[in-house]
Structure formats: C-alpha cells, structure tokens
Amino acid sequence: MPALSDRIHMLDSETKAVETPEDHAEELRLWLRLLTCTTLIEGEVRGRLRQRFDVTLPRFDLMAQLDKAPDGMTLSDVSKRMMVSNGNVTGLVERLVESGHLDRRTSETDRRVQVIRLTKLGRAEFRRMAAEHETWIADLFADLTPKDVRELMRLLAKTKASAQKSAASRRP
Amino acid sequence: MPALSDRIHMLDSETKAVETPEDHAEELRLWLRLLTCTTLIEGEVRGRLRQRFDVTLPRFDLMAQLDKAPDGMTLSDVSKRMMVSNGNVTGLVERLVESGHLDRRTSETDRRVQVIRLTKLGRAEFRRMAAEHETWIADLFADLTPKDVRELMRLLAKTKASAQKSAASRRP
DNA sequence: GGAAAACATTTTAGGCTTAAAACAATTCGG
DNA sequence: CCGAATTGTTTTAAGCCTAAAATGTTTTCC
C-alpha cells in the first residue's frame, strides 16, 4: 500500500489530468502543417495530370498500384493499398476497364474474387505518365537536402507507426 | 573562352542530364509516405467525427476556420484557407446554413461578397467537438517526442516552401 | 463616363468518396 | 455435412470535389 504522500500525489495528478486538460496545441499545429503539405502537393499533381495527360489522380494512383503487380491484384488488395473504400474501387475500375486501361476477370479458384491488371495500353500510358510525374515530385521537393529527405522519411515512419497504433487500439 | 577539357566536361554533364535521367526514387518514396500518413490520420479523424458527433470532416474544417474569425470571413477567404475550390465552399456553406450552424449575409459595402460566421449553436457545437478532436490528434502523434515534433515542424515548413515555390514557378 | 478588366460567387457536369446494406461465395466448427 | 460466420464485391444514398462556364458587381483606366 502506498504511503500517504504517494496517494496524495496520485490524487493530485489524476485531478490535474481531469480538471486541467493538457495542452496539445503543438501536435495540432503539426497535423495542420502535415495536411497543408499534402494538400498542396496533391493539388499540384492533380492539376498537372489533368493538363498534361487528361487523367485524374485516383486513376493514376490505381494504375500505379497495378504497375507494381504484373500478375494483377484483387479489388480488396487495391482497396487496402490505396486506403479507400471498396465501393470506391469498384467504380474506378469500371471506368478504367471501359477506357481500355484495365483488364478484369473473375478468379477461377474463388468466384467471389475479381482480378484486375493493366492492359498493354494501360501499362504504356502509365509508364509515360509516371516518368514525368517523378520529375514533378522531384521538383516539388527540390529545396530539401538529401539529409532532409532521410530525416523526414524517418520521422514520417515514426508518425505512421504511432498513428497506426493509436487507430488500432480503438478498433480491436 | 573555356579550355577544351572544360568544354568536354560541360558536354559530358549536359549529355548525362539528358540521356540518363536522374534518379528521384527517394523523393517519390517520401511523397508516398507523406501521403500515407495524411490519409491514415485523416481517415481516423473522419471516422471519429462521424461516430462521435455525426459530422463530416469538411464541415468540421470549415467551422474550424470560422472559429478563428469571430467577425466572419468571405467565401473566397475560406476557399483559399481551406485550399478547396470556390464551388465546393458554396455547397458546404449551404448545408451548414441549412442546419443552423452558419449565418450568411451579403456585405453592405460590396454586394458581390458573402460574409459567413458561426451561429451561437455552431460555435458551441464546434468547441465541443474541437476539444475532443485535439485529444485524438495528440493520441495519434503520441509516440513522437517533443523533439520529433519540432523537427517535423521544421522539415514540413521547408517542404511547404519548396512546394509553393515549385508550384508558383509554373503559374506566373 | 463608359468599356474593359478584375473579382466574388454560383452553376454545371462529371467524377470521387464514404458508410452501410445487400448479395454471393467460401470456410469453419460442430 | 450443414448452418453460421467470414470474405469479396457491388449497390445505394448522400455528400464532397473539381474545372470551367455563367452571372452579377466593382474597379480600372482611358
């Protein structure tokens, strides 16, 4: 059993936690800055993709996923990788199949599963866009030194892990 | 006039720049990681706002802007601050006026301008949500040390400046 | 003063996005 | 085996979002 002074201390710190809410303004500012950076870059890339290739960002992102998977992916895989809802992918894929960029077929071993892959056209167009896209990104980050890039990578990895942990603890 | 050896060197480096495109894989990875972090946190916040308060993230964001401006803002101001299109704001405001959270009036000095502000209800609800929201953010970033937070702030400020510069140079 | 440019907002058309419900197919446990 | 969960996808309803054109208003600058 704790000494009286310890119990008083515990009570104090508990009371403090309840009555004087901690200041999290720094984290809030960090979050807003993170969001600003992403929105800024995303908007720029979106605009360039439209102007230069008349393609939307979500389409480009989906093709990017498939380019890394020559044997195709299931819709669920894509949905998890892109961190978007299932229904979202259904619609995106529909339009890309329609335009001839994607090939969609039902798996032979599991008839629930749809496997999608890039068509020859889809792959060619994606490669063309991706090459230019990479230079845009390089340009947008041009003022960062290699050290800045490394450090940001490290801190964002830590951020991602922290956020995933926090998110997971709410959804067990 | 440069010496022959210098000219050869110049030709070499120019040729290299054209024929062997530089490798920007690191920047690309950085961009994807930045996007992942934002998407992860944004999704988490969106879900909690919906579950806890039955409000959407864009509505919350708009109210957050107005909470900082007791005298109201014009739609253009809001649109610039939130980095979304004008038309987008029109619709958001419409729904928030409809639900009684916002007050909208035409400026008396310039009849083009609409000034919006939070109603009493809107402000009260926002404050309630914002208090909880702040703890979610703190939780999502909980594994970062104060030093990590400072360093991220610094690097993201640099990133933002770099991206803005690059974006501006394309749209003069 | 009046045409032209600039500005603030709304409208339009189309696409993206989500959460939740519905449907279909497979796997699991008794 | 067979009913119950689980899994993969689609559908639905509502809202978000953009780019571009349209509308109304103010400013600029001959």
Side-chain angles (χ1 to χ4, degrees), chain A residues 17-153:
Chain A
V18 172
E19 289 184 0
T20 48
E22 294 170 51
D23 179 35
H24 299 306
E26 288 308 308
E27 284 89 343
L28 204 48
R29 266 200 286 276
L30 175 57
W31 164 231
L32 294 178
R33 189 163 292 182
L34 186 63
L35 188 55
T36 296
C37 282
T38 299
T39 306
L40 190 60
I41 297 170
E42 199 169 344
E44 194 59 27
V45 170
R46 183 198 315 283
R48 298 196 197 197
L49 281 174
R50 168 178 285 273
Q51 282 207 338
R52 206 58 194 83
F53 301 112
D54 193 33
V55 75
T56 67
L57 184 51
R59 278 178 226 229
F60 178 82
D61 287 345
L62 175 43
M63 289 198 266
Q65 291 301 325
L66 291 175
D67 187 57
K68 292 186 284 191
D71 295 346
M73 299 174 78
T74 70
L75 296 199
S76 290
D77 288 346
V78 171
S79 158
K80 279 184 203 102
R81 285 294 190 97
M82 294 180 72
M83 298 195 277
V84 300
S85 67
N86 287 340
N88 189 355
V89 174
T90 297
L92 266 174
V93 166
E94 232 159 49
R95 287 182 288 269
L96 280 166
V97 167
E98 172 67 26
S99 63
H101 294 85
L102 258 58
D103 172 79
R104 177 223 304 241
R105 62 187 58 171
T106 302
S107 160
E108 308 218 339
T109 60
D110 185 339
R111 279 179 306 172
R112 289 171 302 183
V113 174
Q114 303 283 317
V115 177
I116 55 175
R117 29 165 76 74
L118 287 173
T119 60
K120 206 155 188 172
L121 169 73
R123 189 169 301 274
E125 284 206 11
F126 173 73
R127 293 281 168 88
R128 210 158 51 82
M129 297 191 289
E132 212 162 311
H133 173 264
E134 192 169 313
T135 70
W136 301 338
I137 299 300
D139 219 61
L140 286 160
F141 287 96
D143 285 355
L144 299 191
T145 67
K147 186 181 166 194
D148 287 338
V149 173
R150 276 198 307 278
E151 194 61 4
L152 258 179
M153 285 291 280

Side-chain angles (χ1 to χ4, degrees), chain B residues 91-111:
Chain B
L92 266 174
V93 167
E94 230 161 51
R95 286 182 288 270
L96 279 166
V97 168
E98 172 68 25
S99 63
H101 294 85
L102 257 57
D103 171 78
R104 177 222 305 240
R105 61 187 57 170
T106 302
S107 161
E108 308 218 340
T109 62
D110 185 342
R111 277 182 306 173

Side-chain angles (χ1 to χ4, degrees), chain B residues 75-124:
Chain B
L75 295 199
S76 290
D77 288 346
V78 172
S79 159
K80 278 182 203 102
R81 285 294 190 97
M82 295 180 73
M83 297 194 279
V84 300
S85 67
N86 287 339
N88 189 357
V89 174
T90 297
L92 266 174
V93 167
E94 230 161 51
R95 286 182 288 270
L96 279 166
V97 168
E98 172 68 25
S99 63
H101 294 85
L102 257 57
D103 171 78
R104 177 222 305 240
R105 61 187 57 170
T106 302
S107 161
E108 308 218 340
T109 62
D110 185 342
R111 277 182 306 173
R112 289 171 302 181
V113 174
Q114 303 283 317
V115 177
I116 55 176
R117 29 166 74 76
L118 286 174
T119 60
K120 207 156 188 172
L121 168 73
R123 190 169 301 275

